[in-house]
């Protein structure tokens, strides 16, 4: 069975600073995908970034980058130059690789608060 | 403007009542999913559909039912058999490319009266 662990229930960061949100995963699949989503107070899950298990380069999308360390089974999200609008819940998720349903398994999330 | 819509935004259910949550997408995705989110937790899979006229139970399907008669639509019915339906319900569709990313609708919050 797959499992995602996010050990930081809450994080604070000063505006314009960088912050790292931790995510570790466990799977026996050889092929899988790792995702980060942002959930503001409105509730919608907003896709941020994707990393495939065979990708050798760390994924980047604007101010978001994913620090992928396959041997350690970690997929940490790095947000550079934090903005007040970054305050939200952040979820790490893994897509099932070898089963037909291709569903996502989610962690419990990290609440990020950006302070002015 | 492609996306996923869910309605209603808030839904109230009386005891013994079945209620239906709507999910529509115009992204031309084959696969669609329903997830449930309880306070302070991640999402859990209720049902999924890989293609029209086919759907499968997820991890917490008891007390729920779905249909998939059209590619664009994947409604979820919360039946009276679901004893603890109060939660936030999110619908998603899955892209075939781009890492098979799932894109989510805005969600429906279900409350029991």
């Amino acid at each position: 069975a797959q499992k995602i662990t996010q050990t930081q229930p809450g994080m604070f960061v000063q505006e314009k600073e960088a912050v790292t949100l931790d995510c570790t995963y466990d799977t026996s699949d050889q092929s899988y995908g790792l995702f980060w989503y942002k959930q503001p107070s409105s509730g919608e899950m907003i896709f941020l970034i994707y990393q495939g298990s065979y990708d050798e380069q760390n994924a980047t999308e604007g101010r978001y980058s994913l620090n992928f360390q396959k041997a350690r089974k970690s997929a940490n999200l790095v947000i550079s130059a934090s903005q007040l609008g970054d305050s939200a819940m952040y979820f790490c998720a893994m897509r099932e690789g070898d089963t037909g349903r291709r569903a996502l398994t989610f962690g419990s999330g990290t609440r990020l608060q950006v302070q002015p | 403007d492609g996306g996923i819509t869910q309605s209603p935004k808030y839904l109230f259910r009386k005891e013994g009542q079945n209620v239906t949550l709507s999910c529509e997408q115009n992204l031309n995705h084959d696969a669609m999913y329903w997830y449930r989110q309880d306070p302070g937790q991640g999402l859990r899979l209720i049902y999924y559909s890989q293609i029209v006229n086919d759907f499968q139970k997820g991890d917490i399907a008891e007390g729920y039912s779905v249909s998939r008669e059209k590619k664009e639509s994947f409604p979820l019915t919360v039946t009276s058999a679901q004893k603890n339906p109060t939660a936030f319900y999110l619908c998603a569709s899955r892209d075939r490319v781009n890492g098979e990313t799932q894109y989510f609708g805005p969600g429906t919050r279900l409350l029991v009266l």
Side-chain angles (χ1 to χ4, degrees):
Chain A
Q2 301 190 118
K3 187 175 180 181
I4 295 283
T5 302
Q6 295 181 253
T7 57
Q8 307 155 312
M11 291 279 288
F12 288 91
V13 65
Q14 291 292 123
E15 197 177 5
K16 299 180 185 176
E17 291 186 350
V19 63
T20 298
L21 306 184
D22 294 341
C23 172
T24 57
Y25 61 91
D26 191 19
T27 182
S28 56
D29 292 343
Q30 295 301 309
S31 173
Y32 51 88
L34 294 158
F35 301 81
W36 277 91
Y37 287 86
K38 173 184 178 180
Q39 187 177 43
S41 57
S42 60
E44 184 172 0
M45 297 290 280
I46 301 168
F47 165 69
L48 295 178
I49 195 166
Y50 161 76
Q51 178 86 38
S53 58
Y54 293 118
D55 294 341
E56 294 185 354
Q57 301 267 12
N58 285 342
T60 60
E61 286 286 351
R63 294 187 298 110
Y64 305 108
S65 60
L66 200 153
N67 184 359
F68 180 48
Q69 298 187 43
K70 194 169 183 177
R72 298 178 65 178
K73 293 191 173 180
S74 74
N76 299 339
L77 177 70
V78 180
I79 306 175
S80 64
S82 297
Q83 302 172 356
L84 295 177
D86 293 335
S87 294
M89 284 290 290
Y90 289 80
F91 290 93
C92 181
M94 178 166 55
R95 185 199 66 232
E96 299 167 357
D98 296 337
T99 65
R101 64 187 204 174
R102 318 294 279 177
L104 294 174
T105 299
F106 284 82
S108 56
T110 296
R111 181 171 298 281
L112 177 66
Q113 295 188 55
V114 180
Q115 297 175 318
Chain B
D1 204 12
I4 302 175
T5 58
Q6 291 185 242
S7 62
K9 188 173 182 178
Y10 295 95
L11 187 56
F12 298 92
R13 193 191 91 164
K14 295 180 182 177
E15 199 157 331
Q17 187 182 40
N18 292 352
V19 293
T20 297
L21 286 60
S22 169
C23 176
E24 303 277 332
Q25 56 102 357
N26 61 4
L27 298 170
N28 200 33
H29 292 165
D30 289 313
M32 296 185 74
Y33 299 80
W34 274 105
Y35 293 90
R36 169 180 171 143
Q37 185 179 28
D38 291 287
Q41 297 185 30
L43 280 62
R44 292 182 292 165
L45 181 67
I46 305 173
Y47 264 98
Y48 66 100
S49 168
Q50 302 277 33
I51 200 165
V52 174
N53 293 322
D54 182 68
F55 50 83
Q56 304 294 332
K57 292 182 179 180
D59 301 322
I60 55 165
E62 186 175 349
Y64 300 98
S65 66
V66 294
S67 63
R68 186 84 187 276
E69 297 176 3
K70 298 188 301 181
K71 187 175 186 176
E72 299 80 17
S73 178
F74 190 39
L76 173 75
T77 296
V78 184
T79 75
S80 57
Q82 172 49 243
K83 297 306 178 188
N84 185 22
T86 296
F88 189 52
Y89 292 87
L90 287 152
C91 176
S93 68
R94 192 184 86 228
D95 199 344
R96 282 192 187 181
V97 292
N98 299 324
E100 298 185 59
T101 298
Q102 290 190 23
Y103 297 94
F104 286 81
T108 292
R109 196 167 298 278
L110 177 60
L111 299 167
V112 177
L113 294 177

